[in-house]
C-alpha cells in the first residue's frame, strides 16, 4: 500500500472557511496528511493556528518562505510532498513559484494568480520544474459533472449548439465589506483580488465548467459588467454572451448582489440529439432531455452511468454527495498522480484542473473586462 502524502499549507488558518474546506477535502480519501503550514501573514497567528491543528510545533512556521526552506532541509521521508495555497489571489503566485523552484508540487485555489502575466510566468515555471500543479476548480470533481462530460465526449448529445451558465449569489447585496468581514473585504479590493471581482471569484467557475463539460473553448465574449455596491471598484454583477470554438452560442450570468440567491451555479447544454442541465445546489441530479426518448435523470451510483462518473462516487445510490466530496475528488486525483510520479510511473490522463485551466480563467477575466470597457464589444478570449 502506498504511503500517505504529506501536505503543507499556505494560508487558511483556524477560522478560515476555505482553509478548513481544503483540509477536510484532502483527508476524505485517507491519502493525505497535513504535516506543516504557514497559516497567516502574522507569524504569531500562523504558529497558533498550527498548534490548534495539532501539528508538531517545529513545523508551525511564521512565513511560507521559512516553511519551504526548512522543509527542503528535512530528510526526504519526512518533508512535505506538496504545498496547498489557500490565500487571497495576490498571494497565490509568490509561494507557488518558490515551492515549485524548491522541488515541491503545488495545489492552488482559483483564480490561479492576481494577473495574467503571473499566470503565464507560472506556466513556464511549472514546465521548467517538472512538478505537478493542481487548481481547485472543485465543481469538476462532482460525479454528475463527470457524467455530463462523458456523455458529450461520447457524442450522446450530438453537435453542441447552445450553452447557458449562471453563478448567482446574494451575499454582497449589502456593504458587507464595511463591517469588517474579511472574505468580503479582500474580494472587493483590486490589490488583493485582481481586475475581476465577481468575475474572478465565481465567473471563472462558470467559464471552467462550460469548457470542462463540453470539451470546447470559449473563443469570443461580449461582456456587460456592473458595480452596484456603494464605493466598490470591481464588478459584483455581469452578463456575457459567448461564442464557442465550434460555432455554438451561449451566455453566462453572474452576480453576488442577486438578493436571496445562495450558491446558484448551474449549466445547460443543448445539442442536436439531446440536452442536459446540472445545478450545484442539487448536485446529485443530472437532468437530460432527448429528441426521441423520455426525460432521464441520472444520480450518483445510479443506472446508466459512465465509468468516469462511477469511479468518483464514494457511497451507495441515494446517499447525497456534494461540495466536500467534489473537492476531495480533486485532491484524490492529484494525490494519485503524485504517488505515481514518486513510484516512477506515469498516468495517461490525470483528471484534475491544471495550470492550463488557470491560464484560461485569467484570459477569460481579462477578455471580459476589456469587452466591458469597449461597450460590450466582442473580444477574443
Amino acid at each position: 500500500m502506498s504511503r500517505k502524502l504529506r501536505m503543507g499549507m499556505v494560508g487558511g488558518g483556524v477560522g478560515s472557511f476555505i482553509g478548513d474546506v481544503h483540509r477536510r477535502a484532502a483527508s476524505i480519501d485517507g491519502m493525505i496528511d497535513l504535516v506543516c503550514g504557514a497559516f497567516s501573514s502574522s507569524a504569531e497567528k500562523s504558529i497558533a493556528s498550527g498548534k490548534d491543528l495539532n501539528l508538531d510545533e517545529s513545523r508551525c512556521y511564521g512565513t511560507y518562505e521559512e516553511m519551504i526552506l526548512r522543509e527542503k532541509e528535512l530528510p526526504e521521508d519526512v518533508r512535505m510532498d506538496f504545498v496547498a495555497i489557500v490565500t487571497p489571489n495576490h498571494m497565490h503566485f509568490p509561494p507557488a513559484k518558490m515551492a515549485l523552484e524548491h522541488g515541491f508540487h503545488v495545489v492552488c485555489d482559483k483564480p490561479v494568480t492576481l494577473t495574467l502575466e503571473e499566470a503565464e510566468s507560472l506556466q513556464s515555471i511549472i514546465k521548467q520544474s517538472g512538478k505537478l500543479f493542481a487548481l481547485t476548480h472543485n465543481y469538476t470533481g462532482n460525479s454528475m459533472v463527470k457524467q455530463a462530460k462523458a456523455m458529450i465526449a461520447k457524442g450522446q448529445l450530438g453537435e453542441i449548439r447552445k450553452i447557458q451558465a449562471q453563478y448567482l449569489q446574494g451575499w454582497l447585496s449589502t456593504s458587507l465589506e464595511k463591517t469588517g468581514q474579511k472574505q468580503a473585504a479582500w474580494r472587493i479590493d483590486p490589490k488583493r483580488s485582481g481586475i475581476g471581482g465577481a468575475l474572478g471569484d465565481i465567473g471563472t467557475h462558470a467559464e471552467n465548467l462550460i469548457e470542462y463539460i463540453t470539451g470546447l473553448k470559449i473563443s469570443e465574449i461580449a461582456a456587460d459588467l456592473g458595480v452596484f455596491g456603494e464605493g466598490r471598484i470591481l464588478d459584483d454583477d455581469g452578463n456575457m454572451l459567448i461564442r464557442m470554438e465550434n460555432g455554438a452560442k451561449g451566455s453566462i450570468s453572474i452576480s453576488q448582489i442577486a438578493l436571496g440567491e445562495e450558491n446558484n451555479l448551474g449549466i445547460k447544454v443543448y445539442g442536436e440529439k439531446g440536452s442536459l442541465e446540472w445545478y450545484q445546489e442539487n448536485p446529485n441530479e443530472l437532468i437530460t432531455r432527448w429528441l426521441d426518448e423520455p426525460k432521464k435523470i441520472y444520480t450518483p451510483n445510479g443506472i446508466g452511468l459512465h465509468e468516469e462518473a462511477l469511479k468518483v462516487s464514494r457511497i451507495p445510490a441515494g446517499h447525497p454527495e456534494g461540495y466536500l466530496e467534489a473537492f476531495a475528488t480533486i485532491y484524490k486525483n492529484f494525490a494519485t498522480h503524485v504517488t505515481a510520479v514518486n513510484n516512477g510511473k506515469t498516468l495517461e490522463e490525470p483528471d484534475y484542473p491544471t495550470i492550463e485551466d488557470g491560464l484560461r480563467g485569467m484570459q477569460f477575466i481579462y477578455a471580459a473586462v476589456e469587452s466591458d470597457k469597449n461597450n460590450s464589444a466582442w473580444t477574443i478570449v
Side-chain angles (χ1 to χ4, degrees):
M1 182 177 178
S2 298
R3 68 170 176 85
K4 285 188 177 184
L5 296 181
R6 298 178 288 270
M7 178 175 79
M9 182 169 280
V10 177
V14 172
S16 160
F17 160 71
I18 200 63
D20 194 42
V21 166
H22 276 261
R23 288 187 287 270
R24 290 176 187 272
S27 69
I28 281 178
D29 292 291
M31 300 175 70
I32 298 167
D33 280 334
L34 177 69
V35 298
C36 64
F39 300 101
S40 172
S41 57
S42 160
E44 184 179 354
K45 290 180 180 178
S46 175
I47 293 169
S49 287
K51 291 178 180 178
D52 283 348
L53 291 167
N54 297 312
L55 297 183
D56 186 317
E57 190 170 345
S58 67
R59 299 178 80 175
C60 302
Y61 300 106
T63 66
Y64 74 83
E65 294 96 336
E66 180 190 9
M67 181 183 78
I68 291 169
L69 293 175
R70 291 270 299 276
E71 289 292 314
K72 182 69 174 179
E73 294 173 352
L74 295 175
E76 192 172 340
D77 61 347
V78 176
R79 71 171 72 124
M80 65 182 178
D81 293 289
F82 72 94
V83 177
I85 301 170
V86 297
T87 60
N89 305 349
H90 73 295
M91 284 303 298
H92 287 181
F93 179 73
K97 177 179 184 292
M98 186 175 181
L100 291 162
E101 290 176 342
H102 283 76
F104 297 106
H105 306 289
V106 172
V107 173
C108 185
D109 220 1
K110 43 56 57 191
V112 66
T113 50
L114 184 70
T115 68
L116 178 57
E117 292 76 17
E118 285 182 347
E120 292 170 340
S121 177
L122 188 59
Q123 185 182 44
S124 297
I125 293 167
I126 292 166
K127 185 176 181 179
Q128 292 167 7
S129 73
K131 296 301 174 181
L132 304 182
F133 181 91
L135 188 69
T136 51
H137 273 300
N138 53 292
Y139 300 109
T140 64
N142 187 280
S143 61
M144 292 298 93
V145 170
K146 302 287 189 192
Q147 174 70 6
K149 179 179 176 65
M151 292 175 73
I152 291 174
K154 297 174 192 299
Q156 289 180 251
L157 269 63
E159 182 75 9
I160 301 305
R161 294 172 169 173
K162 183 177 180 67
I163 303 161
Q164 290 183 310
Q166 65 185 43
Y167 203 150
L168 306 175
Q169 299 175 335
W171 72 293
L172 290 179
S173 293
T174 62
S175 298
L176 190 61
E177 64 271 20
K178 296 178 181 179
T179 68
Q181 214 268 18
K182 291 183 179 180
Q183 292 294 322
W186 78 257
R187 281 182 168 83
I188 59 95
D189 179 3
K191 293 181 180 179
R192 290 181 284 174
S193 186
I195 66 170
L199 189 63
D201 190 22
I202 59 178
T204 50
H205 271 307
E207 167 269 328
N208 179 258
L209 199 62
I210 288 172
E211 294 197 348
Y212 181 78
I213 286 178
T214 66
L216 301 169
K217 286 184 169 56
I218 300 170
S219 58
E220 291 181 277
I221 185 170
D224 179 22
L225 305 177
V227 182
F228 289 91
E230 183 181 354
R232 289 179 189 160
I233 300 172
L234 300 179
D235 62 277
D236 51 24
D237 185 81
N239 297 287
M240 290 152 271
L241 297 178
I242 58 174
R243 293 170 177 166
M244 307 301 292
E245 61 182 344
N246 74 329
K249 311 290 186 181
S251 64
I252 302 173
S253 179
I254 63 169
S255 185
Q256 292 182 317
I257 52 88
L259 186 64
E261 295 285 1
E262 294 180 346
N263 202 57
N264 190 357
L265 170 62
I267 184 170
K268 295 181 180 180
V269 181
Y270 300 89
E272 59 184 349
K273 297 178 183 177
S275 66
L276 58 80
E277 61 183 290
W278 177 82
Y279 299 95
Q280 191 277 151
E281 291 185 337
N282 188 18
N284 295 309
E285 287 192 356
L286 175 66
I287 302 168
T288 63
R289 297 177 175 86
W290 305 96
L291 186 65
D292 52 4
E293 296 179 50
K295 178 173 76 173
K296 296 180 182 178
I297 299 177
Y298 294 89
T299 58
N301 267 324
I303 298 171
L305 294 188
H306 292 296
E307 178 61 26
E308 291 88 339
L310 288 170
K311 68 183 181 182
V312 300
S313 295
R314 295 172 176 80
I315 50 182
H319 295 77
E321 297 180 20
Y323 180 75
L324 282 176
E325 289 85 357
F327 222 114
T329 295
I330 306 298
Y331 270 101
K332 179 181 179 180
N333 290 350
F334 176 75
T336 299
H337 195 186
V338 172
T339 298
V341 169
N342 288 347
N343 293 331
K345 300 177 181 178
T346 58
L347 293 182
E348 290 185 9
E349 295 184 9
D351 184 13
Y352 55 84
T354 66
I355 184 59
E356 281 68 35
D357 298 282
L359 186 58
R360 285 295 297 168
M362 295 306 297
Q363 291 168 340
F364 168 79
I365 293 170
Y366 273 65
V369 170
E370 182 69 18
S371 173
D372 180 65
K373 286 180 180 178
N374 290 289
N375 198 30
S376 303
W378 284 103
T379 304
I380 295 174
V381 178

